[in-house]
Every structure is written in structure tokens, then in C-alpha cells.
Amino acid sequence: MAAEVKTVIKPLGDRVVVKRIEEEPKTKGGIVLPDTAKEKPQKGKVIAVGSGRILDNGQKVPLEVKEGDIVVFAKYGGTEIEIDGEEYVILSERDLLAVLQ
């Protein structure tokens, strides 16, 4: 019996891999929203980070986020991918708006 191999994602440069965090399917007033009415969340957990941004002078600057951080990102930023049945977004660090603490 062959063991299932999990794909490892290693982003390049100043990119990060984020897994979206789904919001509650109902409003504050208690109204349940159907899937067609929901927007994709702009909040997610950082799964992997690249090695950093390279400046014009050749110096490498590490990213400000780390694996496990919960971030808010630009609505239309990044590239959506699916790996091993899970959906992820690959974003540049400049598409990240904030780290939630």
C-alpha cells in the first residue's frame, strides 16, 4: 500500500502562500447567507514564505510575515491554486495589508 505524498509549497522571493479563513455563513443579525451571496474572504493564514525581497543594491530583505500569521490581503491580489484538494492564494508581500494579532 503506497503512502500518500503531500505536496510541499515553497514560494519564491517576496511571495507568501496563504490559506483563506472562511467567515461565518450568517450575518450579525442571524441571516444565513447562501454560497452564491458570499464573497471570498480576504483573511487567511500564512502557510509558507519566500526567502525575501532583493533590493537594487543586491541586499536581501526578509519578509515581515512568518508562517502561522493571520493576514488581511488585497481583494483582487494573488494567484489562486489548488494543491492536494486544498485551495491557496500565492501573494506578493506588497498585496498583504495587515497582520492580525
Side-chain angles (χ1 to χ4, degrees):
M1 189 166 176
E4 188 174 317
V5 177
K6 194 107 168 130
T7 304
V8 176
I9 308 169
K10 179 64 179 158
L12 304 175
D14 73 336
R15 290 176 180 79
V16 298
V17 178
V18 174
K19 182 167 176 45
R20 291 183 192 269
I21 296 175
E22 296 296 326
E23 299 292 328
E24 285 294 318
K26 58 173 119 170
T27 65
K28 290 181 182 176
I31 298 171
V32 177
L33 297 173
D35 287 341
T36 55
K38 288 191 276 183
E39 289 189 8
K40 288 191 176 183
Q42 293 170 248
K43 184 167 61 171
K45 181 177 182 179
V46 176
I47 302 300
V49 297
S51 59
R53 184 176 78 240
I54 298 178
L55 302 177
D56 291 336
N57 65 7
Q59 180 184 1
K60 186 178 279 191
V61 178
L63 300 180
E64 293 185 48
V65 296
K66 62 187 179 311
E67 290 180 18
D69 282 350
I70 304 299
V71 295
V72 177
F73 51 90
K75 189 172 195 171
Y76 299 108
T79 301
E80 296 180 357
I81 61 167
E82 185 176 319
I83 296 176
D84 296 335
E86 298 282 338
E87 290 187 13
Y88 301 96
V89 182
I90 299 176
L91 299 148
S92 262
E93 186 180 35
R94 68 178 172 268
D95 291 329
L96 300 178
L97 305 176
V99 176
L100 302 178
Q101 298 187 357

